[in-house]
C-alpha cells in the first residue's frame, strides 16, 4: 500500500514540478484546460488528489502505533524513539523544502506526528471522535468562508451599496485574481540557474509553511488518527471479513466517487472561481476523499491477497519499503527535469504531457527498488533517517 501511495502521489506532485504553482488547483491558469488537459485534471482530481496522500497519512498513523508497540516490547522508551524520529524527519524535511522542492510534506508529517503520538494508546472511539471533529471543523470553516465571500459579493453588487463596500470588495477580488495573474516571476526563476531558483523556492516554501501548512494540519492529524484505528482493527493486515472490505469498496466507489461528477461540473462551470474553491475543497476533503481513500486501500489489500500478480506485488512491496527514498528521489528527478539547472522543462509541457514523465519515473521506481533491497536492508534515505534517529550509523548491507 505504501508503494502504491508513493507512486500515486507523483500524479499530483508532477504538476508542481512542471507548472507554476496555482496550476495545481486551476488548470486554466497554466498547462491547458481543454481536451486531454481537462481530462488529465479531472481524472487526477477524482482518483488521486488527496487520496494518495491520505493513504500515506493513514499508514504514518498506523506505523506510529506499530513502532511504539515494538519499542515497548524491547523495553525501550517509545517516547524517546518517536520524538527522535520526528526531529530527524523535520530536519530532513526542512532541507528538502528549502533546497529541493517547496511542496514538501515531511515537515507537516513531523509536526503532526509529534502531536498525534500523545494519542497512540487512546481507545478507538476517542480517536474516531477527534478525527471526526477535526474534519467537521474543516468543512464548517470552508462553508463559513464561502458564505461570507458570497454575502460580501452580494452586498457590493447591490444598487445602494456604499462606495467603501464596493472598494473593499474590489480589493478582495483583486487579491483572489492575483493568484492567477502572477506567474511570470515563477517561469523566469525556475527556467534559470540555481541562483535564480533558490530565492524563489525559499520564498515559496516560507509562504507555504506560514499559510498552507497550518490549514492542512487538522486533516493530516485526522487521517493519522484514522490510521491508528484501522491498524488496531486489522484493516491493513487483511483481517477484516470479505463482506466488510466489499462494503468499503461499495461506499467509496459506488457512492463517493460518482458524487465527484456534480462537484467537477460546479467547479468547471464557474471557471475555477477562487470563491467556489473555498467550498469545493472542504466538500471533497471531508465528504468524498476519505471514502475513496479507504476504497483504494481495500482494493490494494484485495489485490495483495490474490495468488496471481505476485511479481507486481513484490515490486510494489519493494517500492513501499523504500518509499522515503522514492519520495525524495522523485523530487530530485522532477526538479532536475524541469528546473533550469537541469533540463529546463518548467512550463514547457501541457498538463497531459506530464504523465508520460510520471510513467517513466514509475518504471524507474519498480526496477530500482527491488535491485537495491537485494543488496541493502534499507533505502538510502531510510538508512539516513534511522541513523539520525539512533544518533549512530546503522548497518545496511545485507
Amino acid at each position: 500500500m505504501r508503494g502504491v501511495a508513493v507512486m500515486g502521489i507523483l500524479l499530483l506532485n508532477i504538476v508542481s514540478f512542471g507548472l507554476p504553482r496555482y496550476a495545481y488547483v486551476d488548470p486554466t491558469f497554466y498547462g491547458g484546460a481543454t481536451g486531454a488537459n481537462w481530462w488529465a485534471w479531472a481524472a487526477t482530481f477524482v482518483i488521486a488528489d488527496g487520496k494518495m496522500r491520505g493513504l500515506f497519512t493513514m499508514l504514518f498513523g498506523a506505523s506510529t502505533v506499530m513502532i511504539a508497540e515494538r519499542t515497548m516490547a524491547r523495553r525501550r522508551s517509545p517516547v524517546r524513539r518517536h520524538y527522535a524520529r520526528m526531529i530527524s524527519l523535520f530536519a530532513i524535511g526542512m532541507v528538502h523544502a528549502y533546497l529541493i522542492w517547496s511542496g514538501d510534506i515531511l515537515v507537516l508529517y513531523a509536526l503532526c506526528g509529534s502531536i498525534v503520538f500523545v494519542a497512540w494508546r487512546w481507545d478507538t472511539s476517542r480517536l474516531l471522535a477527534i478525527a471526526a471533529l477535526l474534519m467537521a471543523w474543516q468543512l464548517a470553516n470552508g462553508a463559513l468562508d464561502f458564505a461570507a465571500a458570497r454575502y460580501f459579493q452580494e452586498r457590493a453588487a447591490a444598487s445602494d451599496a456604499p462606495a467603501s463596500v464596493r472598494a473593499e470588495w474590489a480589493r478582495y477580488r483583486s487579491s483572489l485574481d492575483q493568484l492567477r495573474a502572477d506567474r511570470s516571476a515563477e517561469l523566469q526563476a525556475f527556467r534559470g540557474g540555481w541562483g535564480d531558483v533558490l530565492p524563489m523556492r525559499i520564498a515559496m516554501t516560507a509562504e507555504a509553511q506560514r499559510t498552507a501548512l497550518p490549514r492542512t494540519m487538522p486533516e493530516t492529524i485526522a487521517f493519522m488518527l484514522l490510521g491508528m484505528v484501522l491498524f488496531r482493527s486489522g484493516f491493513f493486515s487483511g483481517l477484516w471479513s470479505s463482506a466488510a472490505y466489499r462494503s468499503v469498496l461499495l461506499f467509496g466507489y459506488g457512492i463517493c466517487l460518482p458524487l465527484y461528477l456534480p462537484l467537477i461540473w460546479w467547479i468547471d462551470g464557474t471557471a475555477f472561481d477562487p470563491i467556489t474553491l473555498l467550498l469545493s475543497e472542504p466538500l471533497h476533503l471531508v465528504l468524498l476523499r476519505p471514502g475513496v481513500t479507504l476504497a483504494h486501500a481495500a482494493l490494494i489489500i484485495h489485490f495483495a491477497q490474490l495468488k496471481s500478480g505476485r511479481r507486481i506485488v513484490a515490486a510494489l512491496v519493494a517500492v513501499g519499503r523504500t518509499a522515503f527514498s522514492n519520495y525524495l528521489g522523485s523530487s530530485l528527478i522532477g526538479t532536475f527535469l524541469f528546473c533550469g539547472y537541469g533540463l529546463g522543462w518548467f512550463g514547457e509541457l501541457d498538463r497531459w504531457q506530464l504523465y508520460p514523465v510520471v510513467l517513466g519515473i514509475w518504471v524507474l521506481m519498480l526496477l530500482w527498488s527491488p535491485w537495491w533491497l537485494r543488496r541493502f536492508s534499507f533505502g538510502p534515505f531510510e538508512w539516513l533517517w534511522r541513523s539520525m534517529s539512533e544518533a549512530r550509523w546503522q548497518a545496511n548491507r545485507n
Side-chain angles (χ1 to χ4, degrees):
M1 193 178 301
R2 187 175 286 112
V4 173
V6 75
M7 292 173 67
I9 204 170
L10 188 57
L11 292 167
L12 284 305
N13 289 354
I14 196 69
V15 178
S16 296
F17 292 147
L19 301 175
R21 55 183 159 172
Y22 196 64
Y24 187 95
V25 296
D26 181 0
T28 66
F29 176 72
Y30 204 92
T34 59
N37 290 313
W38 187 90
W39 284 105
W41 166 78
T44 53
F45 177 69
V46 173
I47 297 170
D49 187 11
K51 290 80 173 177
M52 299 303 161
R53 184 160 52 86
L55 288 175
F56 246 139
T57 310
M58 291 191 302
L59 291 169
F60 194 95
S63 66
T64 298
V65 177
M66 181 179 68
I67 292 171
E69 290 178 346
R70 289 179 178 178
T71 304
M72 285 191 68
R74 295 169 185 162
R75 299 184 180 277
R76 295 176 59 191
S77 168
V79 175
R80 178 178 297 177
R81 186 176 186 196
H82 179 80
Y83 284 103
R85 294 179 75 245
M86 293 304 101
I87 291 169
S88 303
L89 184 64
F90 180 84
I92 296 171
M94 290 293 280
V95 173
H96 177 236
Y98 280 94
L99 298 184
I100 301 173
W101 181 50
S102 60
D104 168 79
I105 60 169
L106 303 180
V107 171
L108 172 69
Y109 278 18
L111 294 175
C112 293
S114 298
I115 294 171
V116 301
F117 184 75
V118 301
W120 79 271
R121 302 180 79 173
W122 291 358
D123 61 83
T124 56
S125 59
R126 186 190 296 185
L127 294 174
L128 284 173
I130 295 173
L133 286 173
L134 288 170
M135 297 295 273
W137 182 87
Q138 290 275 91
L139 181 58
N141 193 50
L144 289 172
D145 286 345
F146 174 79
R150 287 299 185 215
Y151 176 70
F152 191 9
Q153 183 180 25
E154 291 173 2
R155 282 192 61 202
S159 57
D160 59 345
S164 60
V165 172
R166 292 182 178 177
E168 187 64 28
W169 167 255
R171 284 193 292 270
Y172 175 70
R173 186 72 238 190
S174 176
S175 70
L176 295 178
D177 292 339
Q178 187 64 27
L179 295 171
R180 294 177 172 176
D182 188 13
R183 64 188 180 193
S184 59
E186 280 186 70
L187 291 170
Q188 182 177 357
F190 285 107
R191 288 172 176 173
W194 177 258
D196 302 300
V197 172
L198 186 60
M200 176 63 73
R201 182 172 288 143
I202 289 173
M204 290 172 62
T205 300
E207 180 184 353
Q209 292 184 347
R210 185 177 65 253
T211 59
L213 190 149
R215 291 199 303 268
T216 314
M217 288 183 70
E219 167 206 353
T220 304
I221 292 172
F223 269 89
M224 286 182 180
L225 296 177
L226 179 59
M228 291 179 174
V229 172
L230 293 173
F231 172 76
R232 288 180 178 172
S233 71
F235 175 83
F236 294 123
S237 304
L239 299 180
W240 284 21
S241 67
S242 298
Y245 285 114
R246 283 197 298 270
S247 297
V248 173
L249 288 167
L250 179 62
F251 176 72
Y253 294 152
I255 297 176
C256 296
L257 203 65
L259 289 175
Y260 270 98
L261 296 178
L263 189 62
I264 286 175
W265 174 82
W266 182 40
I267 295 170
D268 188 52
T270 60
F272 296 84
D273 179 20
I275 295 178
T276 298
L277 298 178
L278 289 174
L279 182 58
S280 65
E281 174 62 19
L283 280 176
H284 96 96
L285 161 66
V286 177
L287 300 182
L288 305 181
R289 187 185 295 174
V292 178
T293 301
L294 287 172
H296 286 350
L299 184 64
I300 295 165
I301 291 166
H302 173 71
F303 181 72
Q305 293 174 325
L306 296 177
K307 292 183 179 180
S308 58
R310 288 297 179 188
R311 291 184 65 182
I312 186 63
V313 169
L316 288 170
V317 168
V319 173
R321 285 181 58 194
T322 54
F324 195 39
S325 295
N326 279 308
Y327 171 72
L328 293 174
S330 66
S331 295
L332 292 168
I333 294 171
T335 51
F336 173 79
L337 292 176
F338 292 101
C339 291
Y341 53 77
L343 299 186
W345 293 353
F346 189 79
E348 297 293 341
L349 302 182
D350 283 354
R351 196 180 195 94
W352 75 266
Q353 292 173 325
L354 297 171
Y355 293 101
V357 179
V358 171
L359 182 60
I361 298 175
W362 282 356
V363 171
L364 185 61
M365 288 182 180
L366 290 167
L367 293 176
W368 168 84
S369 302
W371 176 88
W372 181 271
L373 290 175
R374 285 194 292 268
R375 293 158 176 81
F376 299 94
S377 300
F378 313 109
F381 285 108
E382 283 80 2
W383 169 81
L384 175 63
W385 185 17
R386 182 179 288 253
S387 297
M388 290 174 64
S389 300
E390 297 292 336
R392 58 187 174 89
W393 299 119
Q394 300 292 296
N396 196 17
R397 279 207 173 267
N398 286 335

